[in-house]
Amino acid sequence: MHHNNVLILDFGSQYTQLIARRVRELNIYSEIHPYNKIPASLEDFKAVILSGSPFSVRADNAPHPDLLQIRGKKPLLGVCFGAQYLAHFFGGNVSPSNTREYGRANLSYIKEGEEFFENISEGSQVWMSHSDTIKELPTHGVLLASTNDVENAAFKIEGEQTYAIQFHPEVYHTKDGKQLLENFLVNIAKVEQDWTPDSFVEETISELKEQLGNDKVVLGLSGGVDSTVAAILLNKAIGKNLYCIFVNNGLLRKNEFKNVLTQYEGMGLNVKGVDASARFLDALAGIDDPEQKRKAIGRAFIEVFDDESHRIEDVKWLAQGTIYPDVIESVSATGGPSATIKSHHNVGGLPDFMKLEVVEPLKSLFKDEVRRVGASLGIDPELLGRHPFPGPGLAIRILGDITPEKVRILQEVDAIFINGLKEWNLYDKVWQAGAMLLPVNSVGVMGDERTYEKCVALRAVESTDGMTADWVDLPYKFLQKTSNEIINKVKGVNRVVYDISSKPPATIEWE
């Protein structure tokens, strides 16, 4: 779809997706492909980046790509494992480090006059994460930078546009990482910075028109950013042939079914509301395993859509608001060696009985990119600023089995928490917030009476794309007021705690 691509070869690093995001922040489109599935044609790729990896280049099972069509023919940047790969297999030497080199470091030496390090000074902080080290540079290797502990922190190969760095420019802790990527991609590789929200909209609508033609498409709306942006894109591409359905799965926030339907009035979308709450709650009865809950909701979701799609004559496509992190966390990041974290209800295809093809116009975008595309489409900023809400809804915020009473309790708690964030002008400072109903009762006292009721955990995080997140340091007075209000107003709750876990090691949702 794009003509100025950067190819990122994934060796299984936890940071590979961050490389893609950093490149896109430069208005340059990047695609991630597994190291063992290099595209047959590299004509549209203007530069290539080799990612890090949990493997050692010295191991027998280490990734070993064929770079014959890349090295010396395309501008090439090796990052961490990628740098060690270029050293180990091309005349250099990589050995185990005496100590694991992990964390912050500072560049103690930078070769003068190097375009690769333009506007970057000695002392610049970088982030290391490796257990091997490059002892000898590859054939024709030229040292470009060092730290106090790592002599060969960066090098180039003379006579070609091949560069390598032992540190990670994509992580936040490398202060000049974006500048380094810009130096490589823009100044050295001459990649044009032409991938913008406007260009994405234009090209995606054109692609959807070609893909869908005069076919009818059914789309599940959730009221959130992703499905709304997907709906507007599809509406611009196929107009009246788009049929939007908003399903009440009985696991929405308080009054959300009514509020979302009202929200879509006047947006020019053909929306039908379907109350299937009883069907979902029946499907979840007695299930307490998180993965089984997600799968039960996914099955019920598909069944509802199958029923509704049969009411639309000749519908051929099911549209979904799937975004990149959904795909990354549900399966191997790119078909490479990464690990599955959890399944997502809208990822993984459709059952055989449902004769619809899937169209996912946002599946290559991160959440922040979806918001920028939404702004380009003129969508209400208040809607675009809405916190992400999980597809399975409150089911994965109720630990243990699901009952209507537990849903009621959590809806009330959630409403108090979210409304409080808005009243205290904290909502827009938080990327995502919600409450979790824990499967424990604890002793309390109210009005001189002993209580034995539920505990809820409040969660608020700051993030850019959901791949990593830090807990938000909410004011104590806000937490105090919110806790008092929940305990006083929500029957069945006598204890409130606040989650101060970051992602990783925790996930944002508890299930």
Side-chain angles (χ1 to χ4, degrees):
M1 184 170 91
H2 305 279
H3 50 85
N4 267 301
N5 292 346
V6 171
L7 171 63
I8 300 169
L9 292 184
D10 179 23
F11 294 101
S13 168
Q14 61 178 316
Y15 298 134
T16 303
Q17 315 310 325
L18 292 180
I19 299 176
R21 283 204 62 257
R22 292 292 177 261
V23 172
R24 292 184 191 188
E25 286 174 5
L26 296 170
N27 292 332
I28 295 171
Y29 184 73
S30 59
E31 290 182 5
I32 299 173
H33 291 258
Y35 73 91
N36 55 356
K37 294 181 181 178
I38 299 173
S41 172
L42 299 175
E43 183 180 349
D44 289 337
F45 294 104
K46 306 302 182 188
V48 179
I49 298 176
L50 308 180
S51 83
S53 176
F55 292 96
S56 165
V57 292
R58 299 175 297 103
D60 292 338
N61 63 341
H64 193 29
D66 179 4
L67 299 181
L68 186 63
Q69 299 303 314
I70 296 174
R71 207 196 127 189
K73 300 176 181 178
K74 301 276 184 183
L76 175 64
L77 173 61
V79 175
C80 195
F81 175 92
Q84 294 178 358
Y85 185 89
L86 291 172
H88 183 70
F89 289 104
F90 296 97
N93 178 35
V94 176
S95 302
S97 303
N98 293 330
T99 59
R100 187 167 183 229
E101 295 165 338
Y102 184 86
R104 295 172 178 83
N106 297 93
L107 297 178
S108 58
Y109 163 76
I110 295 176
K111 188 174 186 293
E112 279 190 41
E114 281 298 326
E115 196 172 20
F116 187 62
F117 279 99
E118 187 176 341
N119 296 321
I120 301 174
S121 305
E122 290 181 7
S124 179
Q125 179 179 289
V126 297
W127 182 261
M128 296 285 188
S129 179
H130 58 102
S131 54
D132 289 341
T133 195
I134 300 169
K135 293 292 188 183
E136 296 177 23
L137 295 179
T139 305
H140 304 303
V142 177
L143 179 65
L144 297 185
S146 305
T147 69
N148 289 328
D149 295 324
V150 180
E151 181 183 2
N152 297 312
F155 65 87
K156 70 177 181 180
I157 296 179
E158 198 71 60
E160 54 189 81
Q161 291 181 316
T162 298
Y163 294 80
I165 49 178
Q166 184 60 79
F167 53 90
H168 288 270
E170 68 274 22
V171 302
Y172 171 79
H173 306 293
T174 297
K175 297 303 183 185
D176 293 312
K178 186 175 179 181
Q179 179 67 58
L180 191 88
L181 289 171
E182 183 175 351
N183 290 345
F184 172 68
L185 293 172
V186 179
N187 300 341
I188 294 170
K190 308 298 182 187
V191 183
E192 293 180 31
Q193 295 172 280
D194 60 358
W195 192 72
T196 63
D198 287 345
S199 70
F200 176 84
V201 168
E202 182 181 341
E203 293 176 11
T204 301
I205 290 173
S206 174
E207 188 181 64
L208 289 171
K209 285 180 178 178
E210 183 177 346
Q211 180 182 14
L212 303 174
N214 199 38
D215 292 350
K216 292 180 180 178
V217 178
V218 60
L219 164 69
L221 281 174
S222 68
V225 177
D226 304 336
S227 66
T228 301
V229 173
I232 298 298
L233 281 170
L234 284 158
N235 190 52
K236 287 184 176 293
I238 62 173
K240 59 180 175 49
N241 280 346
L242 174 65
Y243 295 80
C244 299
I245 297 171
F246 177 48
V247 177
N248 181 8
N249 60 7
L251 302 161
L252 303 174
R253 286 175 158 155
K254 185 178 180 181
N255 299 325
E256 189 166 21
F257 186 53
K258 178 184 175 183
N259 293 342
V260 168
L261 287 174
T262 301
Q263 181 182 51
Y264 283 120
E265 288 179 6
M267 289 184 69
L269 298 175
N270 175 21
V271 183
K272 177 183 179 182
V274 179
D275 188 353
S277 51
R279 186 171 188 167
F280 280 84
L281 290 172
D282 285 347
L284 285 165
I287 297 176
D288 57 11
D289 178 75
E291 275 296 287
Q292 293 304 313
K293 284 197 281 190
R294 286 177 179 270
K295 286 178 167 56
I297 291 167
R299 283 193 298 271
F301 184 79
I302 291 297
E303 289 168 3
V304 170
F305 263 78
D306 189 49
D307 291 346
E308 293 301 321
S309 65
H310 278 103
R311 295 186 172 94
I312 306 168
E313 191 175 344
D314 296 328
V315 66
K316 293 184 179 179
W317 298 83
L318 171 66
Q320 298 188 136
T322 309
I323 63 172
Y324 214 6
D326 295 341
V327 177
I328 293 162
E329 291 192 343
S330 295
V331 293
S332 160
T334 56
S338 306
T340 297
I341 297 173
K342 59 189 176 183
S343 65
H344 284 259
H345 76 290
N346 59 345
V347 175
L350 301 175
D352 292 337
F353 71 81
M354 195 170 184
K355 306 301 181 184
L356 294 179
E357 295 185 73
V358 175
V359 56
E360 298 167 316
L362 306 177
K363 69 179 179 181
S364 66
L365 298 185
F366 291 99
K367 176 69 77 172
D368 58 316
E369 294 175 318
V370 175
R371 287 197 169 102
R372 290 202 293 272
V373 167
S376 177
L377 289 165
I379 296 173
D380 185 346
E382 187 174 335
L383 193 155
L384 291 177
R386 193 173 180 217
H387 290 177
F389 187 66
L394 299 180
I396 58 170
R397 293 182 177 179
I398 298 172
L399 278 65
D401 66 324
I402 311 294
T403 66
E405 174 62 9
K406 290 180 180 178
V407 173
R408 179 201 66 80
I409 290 174
L410 193 54
Q411 284 177 332
E412 296 293 337
V413 171
D414 178 85
I416 291 171
F417 184 33
I418 298 301
N419 290 336
L421 288 171
K422 292 177 179 177
E423 290 169 7
W424 283 60
N425 294 318
L426 296 168
Y427 186 84
D428 291 335
K429 298 175 184 177
V430 172
W431 191 77
Q432 185 172 1
M436 318 295 159
L437 183 64
L438 307 189
V440 294
N441 283 28
S442 67
V443 174
V445 58
M446 295 181 72
D448 296 329
E449 297 275 338
R450 178 186 184 274
T451 62
Y452 191 58
E453 295 178 332
K454 294 293 181 188
C455 173
V456 294
L458 306 183
R459 180 100 161 115
V461 299
E462 53 188 2
S463 179
T464 301
D465 51 34
M467 298 299 297
T468 60
D470 287 321
W471 61 277
V472 178
D473 190 3
L474 294 175
Y476 285 157
K477 287 190 178 297
F478 168 76
L479 290 172
Q480 180 185 43
K481 182 179 184 301
T482 302
S483 174
N484 288 342
E485 190 173 350
I486 289 170
I487 291 171
N488 287 333
K489 292 185 177 179
V490 183
K491 185 179 179 182
V493 176
N494 70 354
R495 192 176 298 272
V496 177
V497 299
Y498 186 55
D499 182 352
I500 58 169
S501 310
S502 294
K503 176 184 180 179
T507 53
I508 295 175
E509 301 294 342
W510 280 37
E511 288 194 342

